[in-house]
Amino acid sequence: EAQVTQNPRYLITVTGKKLTVTCSQNMNHEYMSWYRQDPGLGLRQIYYSMNVEVTDKGDVPEGYKVSRKEKRNFPLILESPSPNQTSLYFCASRSGGADTEAFFGQGTRLTVV
Amino acid sequence: DQQVKQNSPSLSVQEGRISILNCDYTNSMFDYFLWYKKYPAEGPTFLISISSIKDKNEDGRFTVFLNKSAKHLSLHIVPSQPGDSAVYFCAASEGSSGTYKYIFGTGTRLKVLA
């Protein structure tokens, strides 16, 4: 089954404690991205990757890092989480250009206290 | 600056009637538009898309209309069913930029009443 898997689904952490949210896709997609969803703001792109070792900033990259060492994995790293990073996070992948549909993971609800 | 806007945060419709969800955009370079549906505790799923060379695309009960001069698109659901109750996001992309990036709207929560 084609899918994007994120872990964990829920996470409560404290300010400053480094964390990683993993994302893996089994569709051999080249393009992967991370979004955060906040009330009244919709989905905003954090980072994206067009292929292995190729990553770039989205609209809200501050406080986040990513890496793309393998095609299937695209982890999101919060080196020093802060309360304003409390949000619902989605990883997505797609096969090619903007005219191809994206497949989303089920989301990770992060709370930073 | 919100380049893609969904001005109605919520919409309620009776089962069997038409649901019309609207989306406005400001960037005239956008050339591809998509609608995604999101149920609680799930990720968004693709619903329907339209290229800027068309003004209408239909898929079963779902039709998307694009008015380029007004920079407006709409999603029509006919007939609406209770299972359509979800949050709907429109998204736009500028293929010529080469970044393959979507810009999403803020979403409209549709509630279909039985």
Side-chain angles (χ1 to χ4, degrees):
Chain A
E1 180 190 355
Q3 60 185 3
V4 178
T5 304
Q6 292 176 231
N7 280 297
R9 293 289 310 278
Y10 303 91
L11 180 60
I12 301 174
T13 190
V14 296
T15 299
K17 186 177 181 182
K18 180 180 178 180
L19 65 93
T20 299
V21 184
T22 64
C23 174
S24 181
Q25 50 96 1
N26 64 0
M27 295 166 280
N28 202 36
H29 286 169
E30 292 186 345
Y31 190 94
M32 297 185 74
S33 53
W34 276 101
Y35 295 87
R36 60 179 288 174
Q37 182 188 358
D38 300 291
L41 297 175
L43 289 158
R44 295 179 295 167
Q45 191 180 59
I46 303 170
Y47 267 94
Y48 66 94
S49 169
M50 295 177 70
N51 213 327
V52 175
E53 302 291 3
V54 180
T55 63
D56 207 349
K57 297 176 181 178
D59 296 317
V60 288
E62 295 78 20
Y64 304 96
K65 284 176 56 177
V66 292
S67 68
R68 188 90 182 274
K69 293 182 169 43
E70 308 165 279
K71 200 170 190 178
R72 64 182 293 126
N73 296 323
F74 190 44
L76 179 69
I77 303 156
L78 284 73
E79 294 269 3
S80 183
S82 62
N84 65 11
Q85 292 179 298
T86 292
S87 187
L88 179 58
Y89 292 87
F90 291 102
C91 178
S93 75
R94 64 179 195 260
S95 58
D99 60 346
T100 57
E101 73 172 273
F103 293 81
F104 283 82
Q106 290 193 292
T108 296
R109 184 165 292 282
L110 172 66
T111 302
V112 183
V113 298
Chain B
D1 179 35
Q2 192 78 24
Q3 296 186 66
V4 178
K5 299 177 185 178
Q6 292 177 257
N7 292 318
S8 298
S10 63
L11 174 68
S12 291
V13 171
Q14 287 290 334
E15 181 180 7
R17 306 293 292 268
I18 184 171
S19 295
I20 300 176
L21 293 87
N22 294 306
C23 180
D24 297 294
Y25 61 95
T26 57
N27 186 345
S28 58
M29 298 298 290
F30 286 147
D31 54 9
Y32 205 79
F33 305 88
L34 308 95
W35 285 93
Y36 282 81
K37 179 169 72 173
K38 184 184 178 304
Y39 292 119
E42 295 183 12
T45 55
F46 171 76
L47 189 57
I48 192 168
S49 62
I50 188 166
S51 163
S52 61
I53 64 173
K54 295 185 175 181
D55 53 20
K56 176 182 174 181
N57 189 26
E58 207 169 344
D59 184 1
R61 296 185 297 112
F62 303 92
T63 303
V64 56
F65 296 92
L66 176 63
N67 182 334
K68 290 185 289 293
S69 60
K71 295 191 181 68
H72 176 83
L73 66 155
S74 60
L75 174 68
H76 293 210
I77 307 173
V78 184
S80 301
Q81 299 173 353
D84 297 328
S85 297
V87 177
Y88 290 79
F89 292 99
C90 67
S93 69
E94 182 188 336
S96 60
S97 74
T99 62
Y100 305 154
K101 180 180 174 180
Y102 293 159
I103 305 292
F104 281 87
T106 52
T108 297
R109 183 178 302 278
L110 173 66
K111 188 171 184 179
V112 179
L113 307 169

